[in-house]
């Protein structure tokens, strides 16, 4: 039987921290769906189609990894994909409260879906899509924080350096 996991998020845009978590998840599961939320409450910089395309390019050739988008409840999406596991990255204690609440809510909604947390490499513990967008919008270099295609897309979108 295949082991299947879902790694959900806004991915606005995908960063090297996300890639690190996906790399770890891909060693543990036969298939990992990188699931980009369509109905995220945040006002995104990139459209869903752009986020999907950026993630697909960054993850091209990664075995067992598929980029997808989803709407509605995450646990329902996980069921549809026959995934029993939801993967989330945990960078620091500050992430915990939000992640704990989400994991417990998802458990209430569907007790068969388990959430696991993977810690990215310590060099990515400070990294977030929000910080990357802020640095890029102020003309700072984000080349060590995001894949090249994302760096270029940020440059285009924000009119900063490519
Ligand atoms: O990268 P993010 O923005 O922290 O990801 C949050 C996300 C998309 C994983 C979360 O908002 C989510 O699961 N949304 C789907 C709606 C849902 O299932 N809500 C109930 C669980 S709190």
């Amino acid at each position: 039987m295949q082991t299947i996991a879902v790694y959900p998020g806004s991915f606005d845009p995908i960063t090297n921290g996300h890639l690190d978590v996906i790399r770890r998840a891909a060693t543990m599961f036969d298939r990992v769906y990188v699931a980009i939320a369509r109905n995220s409450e945040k006002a995104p910089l990139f459209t869903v189609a752009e986020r999907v395309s950026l993630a697909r390019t960054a993850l091209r050739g990664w075995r067992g990894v598929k980029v997808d988008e989803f709407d509605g409840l995450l646990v329902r999406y996980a069921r549809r994909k026959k995934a029993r596991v939801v993967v989330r990255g945990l960078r620091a204690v500050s992430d915990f409260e939000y992640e704990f609440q989400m994991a417990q809510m998802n458990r209430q909604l569907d007790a068969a879906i388990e959430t696991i947390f993977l810690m990215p490499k310590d060099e990515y513990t400070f990294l977030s899509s929000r910080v990357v967008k802020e640095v890029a919008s102020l003309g700072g270099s984000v080349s060590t924080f995001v894949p090249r295609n994302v760096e270029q897309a940020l440059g285009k979108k924000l009119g900063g350096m490519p």
Side-chain angles (χ1 to χ4, degrees):
M1 215 182 79
Q2 276 212 322
T3 55
I4 304 170
V6 168
Y7 178 41
S10 307
F11 301 101
D12 182 42
I14 197 160
T15 68
N16 289 342
H18 293 128
L19 295 181
D20 185 78
V21 169
I22 297 164
R23 194 174 292 116
R24 287 165 204 283
T27 66
M28 301 168 67
F29 299 97
D30 297 315
R31 167 146 299 183
V32 178
Y33 288 100
V34 176
I36 300 181
R38 267 194 227 123
N39 57 348
S40 164
E41 280 169 26
K42 304 169 189 168
L45 176 65
F46 292 100
T47 66
V48 174
E50 287 170 333
R51 284 180 271 153
V52 166
S53 163
L54 290 173
R56 286 211 171 117
T57 301
L59 291 162
R60 189 168 292 145
W62 288 38
R63 274 189 67 198
V65 176
K66 266 195 177 307
V67 178
D68 196 10
E69 50 189 275
F70 78 103
D71 238 339
L73 284 179
L74 172 63
V75 289
R76 291 214 182 114
Y77 171 77
R79 280 254 171 204
R80 282 204 301 279
K81 292 296 172 191
K82 302 195 185 335
R84 280 213 46 224
V85 173
V86 168
V87 172
R88 291 284 290 174
L90 203 55
R91 292 164 297 191
V93 177
S94 50
D95 280 342
F96 182 76
E97 209 165 320
Y98 171 60
E99 294 299 334
F100 181 72
Q101 186 182 32
M102 212 156 56
Q104 294 290 25
M105 178 51 82
N106 285 332
R107 179 176 283 166
Q108 288 294 317
L109 294 169
D110 189 336
I113 309 275
E114 207 59 69
T115 302
I116 66 162
F117 297 100
L118 297 180
M119 286 179 292
K121 239 183 181 162
D122 50 6
E123 65 197 70
Y124 300 129
T125 48
F126 65 94
L127 196 55
S128 72
S129 299
R130 186 186 61 76
V131 168
V132 162
K133 284 182 282 192
E134 185 171 328
V135 171
S137 72
L138 297 170
S141 169
V142 292
S143 62
T144 54
F145 309 139
V146 293
R148 182 83 184 126
N149 67 311
V150 172
E151 187 191 358
Q152 286 169 338
L154 281 165
K156 261 193 201 149
K157 187 73 93 171
L158 298 168
M161 287 184 275

